[in-house]
Amino acid sequence: MKSEPSVYGIDHLQRDKRTSWGGVRNYQVRNMFRDDFAQGDLAFFYHSSCDEPGIVGTMKIAGKAYPDPTQFDPESEYFDPRSKRDSPSWLAVDVRFERRFRQPLPLDVLRSHPGLEGLLILRRGNRLSVTPVTGAEAELILSLAAEKGVP
DNA sequence: GCCAACGTTGGC
DNA sequence: GCCAACGTTGGC
């Protein structure tokens, strides 16, 4: 799951412990939230549009997806006037901070590591702020982080 | 339903 | 700041 650290990074999540991952206005991601996300799932926190893009830590999905409240809030930048209360267009999920990698895994490391070439987030022109990771890829990423000194 | 124009994203 | 790539929009 990616976010710009200048807007909301892993520092914020570490402070908040738990947050609502909302404001996503993409139907593919909405469907992933709805169909694929379950309580207890592991997620990686990816920093984008910053000095060092890459995976910076892990989170746990804290529960089922629910209607994203920001779509109904006229004050929110994510307000969607077309969305109806009785059939919300957009979903959010709650995530809980798990841990921060002592050393972030930068984009170029991810790109060049055998076994991770299938990661959707590495695809050129990828439009999704949330992308799936296979079990094997997750194990690899965790072991790479461990090599870098994370307990 | 097609598709060109447009806006956004994100790495560089 | 550039630009490739993509999703969305709206006219037809």
Side-chain angles (χ1 to χ4, degrees):
Chain A
M1 303 175 76
K2 74 183 165 195
S3 180
E4 300 181 24
S6 60
V7 178
Y8 194 91
I10 196 155
D11 287 341
H12 301 95
L13 184 59
Q14 189 163 18
R15 178 198 62 200
D16 297 343
K17 304 288 182 231
R18 175 177 174 148
T19 196
S20 172
W21 201 280
V24 182
R25 298 295 177 260
N26 174 286
Y27 289 107
Q28 290 183 64
V29 176
R30 195 269 316 268
N31 295 346
M32 281 191 259
F33 279 171
R34 186 189 58 201
D35 303 330
D36 304 330
F37 275 59
Q39 181 165 7
D41 283 352
L42 175 72
F44 293 102
F45 200 129
Y46 179 93
H47 280 176
S48 66
S49 297
C50 57
D51 286 350
E52 285 195 317
I55 299 174
V56 293
T58 62
M59 314 180 269
K60 281 287 174 72
I61 304 307
K64 284 193 333 184
Y66 55 92
D68 181 355
T70 63
Q71 70 196 304
F72 304 121
D73 177 8
E75 302 298 306
S76 168
E77 59 174 314
Y78 303 118
F79 178 59
D80 181 355
R82 292 178 303 181
S83 184
K84 301 285 190 297
R85 292 247 175 211
D86 52 4
S87 62
S89 298
W90 308 112
L91 299 176
V93 295
D94 278 8
V95 297
R96 202 190 313 278
F97 175 80
E98 188 173 64
R99 73 184 207 218
R100 156 199 273 289
F101 295 158
R102 194 183 304 167
Q103 291 262 340
L105 290 175
L107 186 55
D108 57 329
V109 169
L110 298 173
R111 265 192 213 292
S112 59
H113 202 274
L116 296 180
E117 48 283 293
L119 281 179
L120 230 58
I121 201 169
L122 304 181
R123 278 246 186 104
R124 196 177 157 72
N126 160 55
R127 305 266 80 195
L128 303 176
S129 58
V130 175
T131 50
V133 177
T134 68
E137 289 163 343
E139 291 301 321
L140 247 175
I141 291 166
L142 290 171
S143 71
L144 278 174
E147 278 173 33
K148 290 199 160 231
V150 174

